[in-house]
Amino acid sequence: MNRTTLSALVVLGAAGLLLPAPPVSAAPAEQDVAVLNGDFAEPVMKGDGPTTVGIDFWTGLNQRYSPTASGRTDASHGVALQKDGNTLRQRLRGVRAGAKVTVTYEDSPAVSKECAGPQVADGQPYAVDGSGGPVQEVTTAGDPDRVKGTPGKGRWTGRAYVFTAGENEPMLTFTSRVTDSKTHVTCTPMIARIRAVEVPPPVDMTVDKTNLGTSEAYKGNERESSLHNAAAACNGENACTFRPDARTSFRYYDEARVVGEAFVNCTRNTLEHSRLLSYAERSHDSISQTYAEAGLALPEVARLPTTGVREEDEKRIKERPMATQFALAYEQGWQRPWQWFSSDQRTVVERIQPGEVSWVEMQPSRERVEGWFVSKKDDYRLHAVIDGPSRAVPDRLLQRTGPMSEAEKQRCGAARPMTTTPVGATAPASSSDKGLLKAPAPTAPGVRASARSLPLT
């Protein structure tokens, strides 16, 4: 993986909010890919070799020679691929599917003193391939003057292999094509000084926060069948470090949503009033989404503060080591604290004209960070995307008024709710009691007066 430097992260943080975010960003320029131990110098070897000790960060037991024994003038060690389909493999850290990768390296026929002249005279065959790319068959330069019992001086030739990654963390593989059973195990094609660059795919900023993709876990060069072991390896205060990838992390404004109710003015007068609006934002993560998509219960070790329940998330912030590892890396890189959730209140004053509607929309400012939880031994790696509320810039509150919809017009034109008048509903009104006459009081409790009015004289 590209080991992102602190300065690169600070530059990204100062670059400003991506507003408005285009559907897909422009393709970035060519960038270095970290080929771990590309000179095969680790672990440190004693003597000139060949040795068959495992080479750090590479998979496959191969014969390693010192730079001097390899016939090189730099510090790169030479590695012989052995024979019968033996491989030398490494996953290219941080490379995403769709990236165009260019691998450069050097090859040579074997320098082993066990080689007979005919075995190296016309060069030696091997293949190189990357996940999703073609298999490139190669033959080293020839060494026609070799005599068995005398070490070769190396005939190193620069090579290049280009492929488009068909998966995240593509596997780069060198495979020996020497199959002659009479060939000594050390008399096989050699590889040295592996380097790589990539043109990464454009960052897709249209991915919704509730569908951040599938997280992946690796142990060394092997993909794990589940995330559990990698998450468990990070379940300690300093067990893992989160390494953000600045190239695929960005800030953005989310889709607008209506906050509170719409206020419809059906009167003939302008209305003016104030109201209190409350709103909240939560975080999302690809780890929990991966478990949910697979229909699996989220284990305790993989839980981040992204439930949306404030009390539960506050508890996880204190108790989950991975939450601390992520927040610490974010704060060191962007020089501000990470917020797993946010909430706020605003009082707005509305002035609504007759026949109009008033409502408030909110566009929350959010931040998406992609990267890796990497164990201290650099064996387990867990990919994660975390999307949460950002306070780098303020949220947008849009106070809006506009004409009524047809449904609202119909509602405003509807009759006032009334009860029926079953008696005398259609009869003309009779005389009205103006309150000039008094009815005599009842003669006994509970007895109604016999006369309700007095004649005028």
Side-chain angles (χ1 to χ4, degrees):
M1 172 183 139
N2 256 343
R3 297 172 185 263
T4 308
T5 61
L6 178 60
S7 60
L9 296 176
V10 173
V11 169
L12 178 73
L17 195 65
L18 299 169
L19 298 175
V24 180
S25 66
E30 190 174 79
Q31 302 172 7
D32 289 336
V33 173
V35 180
L36 304 183
N37 196 21
D39 290 333
F40 307 119
E42 301 171 3
V44 176
M45 66 181 294
K46 296 180 180 179
D48 288 332
T51 63
T52 54
V53 176
I55 303 171
D56 289 356
F57 303 109
W58 293 90
T59 299
L61 292 178
N62 298 273
Q63 301 288 325
R64 186 168 59 137
Y65 294 77
S66 71
T68 300
S70 301
R72 299 191 58 81
T73 57
D74 59 8
S76 298
H77 295 59
V79 172
L81 297 175
Q82 295 195 26
K83 60 178 182 177
D84 297 331
N86 185 66
T87 62
L88 177 69
R89 300 180 291 127
Q90 182 182 133
R91 286 195 179 273
L92 299 180
R93 269 68 162 175
V95 176
R96 312 303 291 161
K100 182 181 179 181
V101 183
T102 301
V103 179
T104 57
Y105 64 97
E106 297 179 34
D107 66 14
S108 170
V111 297
S112 171
K113 65 181 180 179
E114 301 295 335
C115 292
Q119 293 174 328
V120 294
D122 298 322
Q124 295 180 297
Y126 67 94
V128 57
D129 70 279
S131 302
V135 177
Q136 182 169 297
E137 301 290 343
V138 188
T139 300
T140 68
D143 194 359
D145 301 326
R146 289 287 296 283
V147 177
K148 187 172 183 178
T150 303
K153 297 181 179 179
R155 298 205 172 192
W156 293 98
T157 303
R159 306 286 187 181
Y161 170 66
V162 181
F163 72 100
T164 299
E167 63 175 342
N168 298 329
E169 305 267 296
M171 186 79 81
L172 175 65
T173 305
F174 295 89
T175 306
S176 173
R177 294 295 197 224
V178 176
T179 58
D180 186 353
S181 61
K182 296 180 180 180
T183 300
H184 192 276
V185 69
T186 61
C187 187
T188 48
M190 300 181 68
I191 304 295
R193 200 176 187 278
I194 302 176
R195 303 289 188 269
V197 295
E198 67 163 328
V199 177
V203 179
D204 186 354
M205 299 179 185
T206 65
V207 175
D208 190 82
K209 60 184 179 294
T210 60
N211 187 26
L212 296 174
T214 302
S215 287
E216 303 162 325
Y218 299 87
K219 185 176 183 182
N221 291 318
E222 304 305 320
R223 186 191 298 271
E224 292 280 280
S225 59
S226 74
L227 308 182
H228 182 78
N229 290 339
C234 293
N235 195 31
E237 184 177 355
N238 297 310
C240 285
T241 300
F242 185 80
R243 296 175 182 168
D245 189 342
R247 303 170 306 168
T248 52
S249 302
F250 57 92
R251 301 196 300 272
Y252 67 100
Y253 275 131
D254 204 358
E255 292 182 356
R257 69 173 188 266
V258 175
V259 180
E261 301 83 11
F263 201 110
V264 183
N265 184 1
C266 292
T267 73
R268 296 183 177 88
N269 302 310
T270 299
L271 298 180
E272 185 172 315
H273 71 110
S274 62
R275 58 168 162 162
L276 181 66
L277 298 175
S278 300
Y279 51 92
E281 287 290 301
R282 52 167 290 196
S283 292
H284 300 264
D285 75 274
S286 62
I287 297 176
S288 61
Q289 291 174 11
T290 299
Y291 276 93
E293 185 177 353
L296 300 174
L298 184 65
E300 186 72 23
V301 294
R303 295 178 180 177
L304 292 172
T306 57
T307 67
V309 179
R310 186 69 173 259
E311 294 76 13
E312 174 64 20
D313 288 340
E314 288 176 342
K315 179 181 178 182
R316 290 187 182 184
I317 289 175
K318 297 177 182 178
E319 297 179 356
R320 297 270 54 84
M322 288 174 63
T324 302
Q325 294 158 13
F326 174 83
L328 178 61
Y330 177 87
E331 185 166 354
Q332 290 175 341
W334 278 273
Q335 300 298 305
R336 60 176 178 270
W338 174 261
Q339 295 196 69
W340 293 99
F341 44 77
S342 67
S343 59
D344 210 343
Q345 290 183 333
R346 289 286 186 275
T347 299
V348 297
V349 177
E350 294 178 303
R351 184 179 177 85
I352 315 169
Q353 300 298 325
E356 287 194 339
V357 183
S358 173
W359 70 98
V360 177
E361 294 178 0
M362 176 191 165
Q363 276 190 290
S365 169
R366 297 188 65 85
E367 198 148 1
R368 186 166 300 174
V369 179
E370 181 173 350
W372 297 83
F373 289 96
V374 182
S375 66
K376 289 297 183 181
K377 295 181 180 179
D378 202 27
D379 47 7
Y380 281 109
R381 307 188 309 282
L382 175 58
H383 177 260
V385 182
I386 297 173
D387 189 299
S390 174
R391 286 293 180 246
V393 295
D395 298 328
R396 278 176 172 164
L397 282 178
L398 293 84
Q399 188 170 346
R400 302 183 60 182
T401 59
M404 296 181 189
S405 67
E406 289 302 318
E408 288 165 340
K409 290 178 181 178
Q410 292 175 12
R411 182 63 256 168
C412 284
R416 178 167 57 93
M418 298 283 289
T419 57
T420 59
T421 308
V423 179
T426 58
S430 59
S431 62
S432 164
D433 180 3
K434 298 181 180 179
L436 300 177
L437 303 177
K438 294 183 179 179
T443 57
V447 178
R448 301 183 62 168
S450 56
R452 298 294 297 171
S453 60
L454 296 177
L456 293 174
T457 55

